[in-house]
Amino acid sequence: MSGKPGTWIESGLFSRYAEEDLDRWRVLIGGSVEHVDRRWGIGRVEAVRWATSGHGVAPYVRVRVRYPDHGAVIYRAASFHVHHRSVTIPETVRGVIRACYESPCTEERREELLRRHTRGLREAEDRRRLEHADRLRRRAIERKEAGD
C-alpha cells in the first residue's frame, strides 16, 4: 500500500511543523506513514479532519490512516508522532521545514514563513473545493438537460 510520491521525514519533525493546523496536516493526505511497530507496516493517510470528543471539548485534528493488514485507524494529531516513525511529504513542504527547523532561523522569520506557507495551502484547498463544486454543478446541469 504505497501513497503518493514524497520525501520521507521523521514524524516528530513533521508534527512540530504542523502543530494543530488543519491545512498543514492535510499535506499528508495520500502520503505514506511508517508505524513504529514494524508489524503494522506502511500505511496511507486517507483523511485529515477536525473532530471533538463532545460538548465543551476543544476541537482537535484527527488523522485517518489505513494499514494493509490492520484497516483504518484514527489518531489525534497531538500524538501522531508517538505512533509513527516517519511520513512522506511533498518536496515543497520539505523546503519549508528545512528553512524553518533545520537552518538558522529567528522565531519571527519562522512565523512569517509558516504564515505565508499556510496561507498558500489554504488558498490551494479553497481552489480545489471551488473546482469540485463547479464540476458537480456542471454535472447536475448536464443531467437535467439530458432528462428534458
Side-chain angles (χ1 to χ4, degrees):
M1 175 180 289
S2 64
K4 65 185 177 187
T7 302
W8 285 97
I9 68 163
E10 192 267 325
S11 65
L13 180 59
F14 178 81
S15 292
R16 185 173 169 204
Y17 147 82
E19 298 173 325
E20 284 291 319
D21 188 291
L22 183 65
D23 294 301
R24 292 186 214 159
W25 278 98
R26 280 186 176 144
V27 302
L28 291 181
I29 296 174
S32 300
V33 296
E34 178 187 15
H35 198 281
V36 294
D37 184 339
R38 294 203 187 277
R39 293 175 293 182
W40 285 70
I42 304 294
R44 188 176 55 80
V45 177
E46 292 185 327
V48 175
R49 296 193 173 105
W50 284 114
T52 185
S53 297
H55 182 70
V57 177
Y60 58 90
V61 176
R62 72 177 201 166
V63 182
R64 187 175 70 223
V65 178
R66 182 166 301 278
Y67 300 95
D69 297 328
H70 301 282
V73 178
I74 295 174
Y75 298 94
R76 281 182 177 236
S79 63
F80 186 82
H81 67 284
V82 174
H83 304 281
H84 298 93
R85 189 172 273 112
S86 56
V87 299
T88 59
I89 57 170
E91 191 55 43
T92 54
V93 175
R94 181 69 181 109
V96 171
I97 291 173
R98 191 176 293 119
C100 291
Y101 299 103
E102 298 175 336
S103 303
C105 186
T106 65
E107 188 64 32
E108 294 80 24
R109 177 74 177 138
R110 180 179 300 119
E111 287 175 8
E112 175 64 22
L113 287 170
L114 290 173
R115 185 172 62 249
R116 274 195 245 148
H117 170 67
T118 303
R119 185 178 331 124
L121 293 173
R122 194 163 295 123
E123 288 169 356
E125 176 65 14
D126 289 347
R127 276 191 306 278
R128 187 193 69 74
R129 287 174 183 251
L130 287 171
E131 290 167 1
H132 179 70
D134 194 42
R135 282 191 306 272
L136 291 176
R137 209 175 1 266
R138 283 194 310 267
R139 199 175 313 146
I141 290 169
E142 290 169 2
R143 285 184 185 145
K144 184 176 180 183
E145 290 172 352
D148 289 339

